[in-house]
Amino acid sequence: MPADRCPTGVGPLDQLLGGGLETDGLTELYGEGGSGKTLVCLEAATRLALADRWVCYIDTEGVSVDRLEAIAHGHVEQVLQRLLLATPKSLAEQTSAVSAACSLARDGKRPVGLIVLDSATFYYRLTLSSDEEDAGRQALGRELAELVATAIASHLPVLFTNQVWRNQRTGDLEPLGGSFVNHAAKTVVRIDRLGGARRRAVLVKHRSLGEASAEFRITSTGLS
Ligand code: GTP
Ligand code: MG
């Protein structure tokens, strides 16, 4: 495994990523609701926390403690001790949470191993087609820029999730935020729902790997 990769603990996804998340850049996961984006974030956070690294986890969706318990396999207390959880209630609070996470990572007092932003675009989406749209786009752009700078400075993986919209012209599901979100993420993975618990991760952008895909399943204890 290359030294600059941080495994998520989801085997097929790590293989797809050439060993795991890149440690000096942003990885974007996008896909429709229920595709498993949050589960991947929880798997990665759990793995890092159990390796005694701090995880800054910014959750805009109300993360399920039951799912975390299932994924942590009886070690949930240990995981919670290393999780720095922020639960912003607006885009402005999300921006503050991102700044706080970046400061923690950069000051080096605690060994932060991962920053998670799930979802980056929940509050941003609420600004679309309103008077707040430009401000929302600027706020999200600044957050992603700060995360990029922190990932590079601290040699740290950053994992963020993105919601999708249906392009009426092509019929495709596309990630929100357009080109600036796509440029901020060095790695982009789309997760497709197949039948039942089956999911397919598609590597749509990577600095050193070509387009490829891998399948995994959602199980009662996480992802396999
Ligand atoms: P949004 O946040 O709504 O965009 O979705 P997401 O992509 O983050 O999905 P999430 O990671 O929350 O995945 C939830 C999926 O896991 C849903 O499809 C659930 O049906 C499924 N799920 C949750 N618990 C279980 C379980 O115990 N067994 C199985 N097989 N599936 C489960
Ligand atoms: Mg989710």
Side-chain angles (χ1 to χ4, degrees), residues 26-72:
L26 273 52
T27 296
E28 172 186 358
L29 295 176
Y30 76 91
E32 59 185 315
S35 57
K37 303 179 295 293
T38 295
L39 293 179
V40 172
C41 294
L42 290 174
E43 290 270 4
T46 297
R47 194 194 153 276
L48 266 292
L50 292 178
D52 211 21
R53 305 296 297 276
W54 292 84
V55 177
C56 296
Y57 198 109
I58 303 164
D59 163 41
T60 66
E61 303 188 333
V63 72
S64 159
V65 175
D66 289 348
R67 288 304 278 167
L68 185 60
E69 276 179 353
I71 288 170

Side-chain angles (χ1 to χ4, degrees), residues 166-194:
R166 176 81 60 187
N167 184 325
Q168 298 298 338
R169 193 173 48 80
T170 63
D172 292 339
L173 288 174
E174 295 190 11
L176 286 177
S179 62
F180 78 82
V181 175
N182 189 263
H183 286 303
K186 286 290 166 268
T187 302
V188 179
V189 176
R190 187 184 76 234
I191 306 182
D192 298 330
R193 298 178 73 143
L194 303 179

